[in-house]
Amino acid sequence: MPEAGMAGSPRGVRGGPPDRGESHARSWRGAGWGFVVKLMLMAAVNAVGLAIVWSAYVEGSWGILAGTLALTAAADWVYFSKRSLPAKYLFPGLAFLLIFQLFTMAYTFNVAMTNYGTGHNGTQQQAVDALLIQNERAVDDAPEYPLTIVRRDDELGFAVVDDGQAMVGSSDTPLASEPAATIDGDRITVVPGWDVVDRGTLLADQSLQQQVLDLRVPVSDDADDGSIRTREGTRGTVYRSTLDWDPQAETLTDTETGVVYAARDDGRFVADDGTALPVGWEVYVGFDNFVRGFTDSNYAGPFWRITAWTFAFAILTVVTSFLMGMAMAVVFNDERIRGRKLLRTLFILPYAFPAFLSALLWRGMLNANPDYGIINDLFLFGARIEWLNDPWLAKLAIIGVNLWLSFPYWFLVCTGALQSLPNDVLEAARIDGAGWWRTWTSITPPLLLISTAPLIIASFAFNFNNFTIIYMLTEGGPRFTDTSAVLGHTDILITMIYQISGVAGGRADFGLASALSIIVFLVVGVISALTFRRTRRLEEIL
């Protein structure tokens, strides 16, 4: 019987081979570096998770807190358990899918169910505070105080002299007596614990000037006593709001006119005559945003026209660029053409340029003024053609520019597909007597479509949301004249959503923009699913 030493090192002995059934990341045998690396990585994962949990707790985001805790706990269980080997490889992808896809979709749907947007981006109390501030007026016969601006870290405050007594306060702390402050005449020059901001520093910093003008320092703990504000940074006076807030009745009363504004379910303060205060709060409105996209007079008409143009733009772009790219691939696949490599390189140059730079370049070339627009100057004998200001010409220009940008892609794809076609099928067709035209119409396109159909579907989805070419070339213009919404004849759904979101400026309506985003997602998803089914049938036939 052979000795144990002859059979190799026994399991568990230091320096011997590890158990083949156990991962290096779970073993301390040998150097144990696999386990150490795993501990370090998991420590980093848990540290990030706890940091997110704490931030969510501070902000009161309980959904994010619960989700982060669940993901962190799941990661610990997966990577410290012996029974979840497949999950160790699947978990990172599933986590990223959950965070960057499912969570984003759920959050978008949640926003779509609210009135979140300009004037409705906070709680009711925040809306009340904003309205009280907006309606502050200087109190009649209120004294003006020589003002000293003080700063402590990132906190600004005011220091004033009232009846020979130094008073100091900030936005969070009402004016309070500061006996240790130094008074020089009618101004305070030194405040313990604060730095005095001199006049030169204030004049040199515009950001600081705006902070000073926005600063409100309460006179006392009673909000009805008003607050100290300044118009130019050297003198302050007492301001008091003309609105009176009744938290029990949830009403704001204008003390000057006597008009009462009551809180409504749609997140606004509205008077009996229908007038509303400009600031509201965020509330859930259900599917109102989805309905409003089809029924609101400002959006319903433009929505259907923009939807029709979006489909036309995506379909025409894919069809024209694919046909042109395929035709050029067929031509330059012929070995009899000389200089094919150089010509192919030249033809793919548009694909190498960034799309937004190319769009801006074409925007200048299509300028209606022949002195600036090369197209009108060189090709149309100096005629003034409003390429980007006429609705139909602007659409034609977009299709043409996008064709110039897109056909090199299909030229490359179709060239590769043609060169990979099975020679036995083509040879059999020639033996059966099929000519060039018969081979081209009956064999080549179906074989090409097998490999290019998924790319055609992806190209349609991309162009359905091709924000860059539209916004950089026309910015959606020319504008519609029958609606107050900032929308135009060349807007597609994605640029319409961008305009409604208010990212480019103006009034924002994130709820409606989110609802339209969901509609676009469903449309593209349904069309892609149906076309992929048709693609599988084509493969089965061939």
Side-chain angles (χ1 to χ4, degrees), residues 398-420:
I398 288 174
I399 295 296
V401 173
N402 212 26
L403 172 62
W404 182 81
L405 288 170
S406 304
F407 88 86
Y409 168 76
W410 290 111
F411 176 54
L412 291 173
V413 169
C414 292
T415 296
L418 285 172
Q419 293 177 354
S420 63

Side-chain angles (χ1 to χ4, degrees), residues 212-296:
V212 170
L213 295 179
D214 294 338
L215 182 60
R216 301 167 62 255
V217 176
V219 173
S220 67
D221 292 325
D222 188 353
D224 292 335
D225 290 340
S227 58
I228 300 290
R229 300 189 68 176
T230 181
R231 292 289 186 183
E232 26 66 50
T234 60
R235 306 188 71 82
T237 189
V238 178
Y239 281 71
R240 189 176 295 129
S241 180
T242 59
L243 293 178
D244 180 51
W245 167 238
D246 185 346
Q248 302 297 326
E250 292 189 331
T251 59
L252 283 168
T253 303
D254 191 324
T255 57
E256 294 181 347
T257 63
V259 177
V260 177
Y261 298 89
R264 297 288 180 86
D265 293 337
D266 59 355
R268 298 185 303 162
F269 287 105
V270 183
D272 293 336
D273 60 358
T275 58
L277 294 175
V279 181
W281 60 97
E282 182 182 353
V283 295
Y284 279 92
V285 295
F287 290 92
D288 288 355
N289 286 318
F290 294 90
V291 176
R292 189 155 62 95
F294 297 97
T295 58
D296 191 310

Side-chain angles (χ1 to χ4, degrees), residues 102-114:
L102 299 181
F103 172 76
T104 302
M105 293 170 60
Y107 183 77
T108 302
F109 182 77
N110 180 71
V111 173
M113 304 293 285
T114 69

Side-chain angles (χ1 to χ4, degrees), residues 101-174:
Q101 294 291 334
L102 299 181
F103 172 76
T104 302
M105 293 170 60
Y107 183 77
T108 302
F109 182 77
N110 180 71
V111 173
M113 304 293 285
T114 69
N115 64 344
Y116 182 42
T118 300
H120 297 274
N121 52 7
T123 64
Q124 186 186 68
Q125 187 58 51
Q126 289 173 332
V128 170
D129 293 339
L131 288 168
L132 293 176
I133 293 173
Q134 290 179 7
N135 289 272
E136 282 185 335
R137 303 289 185 271
V139 177
D140 294 336
D141 301 327
E144 281 194 341
Y145 301 97
L147 198 65
T148 299
I149 300 167
V150 293
R151 178 163 51 187
R152 179 172 54 192
D153 296 328
D154 294 331
E155 183 182 18
L156 284 175
F158 290 154
V160 299
V161 178
D162 186 15
D163 292 333
Q165 185 179 13
M167 309 286 289
V168 182
S170 65
S171 59
D172 298 325
T173 306

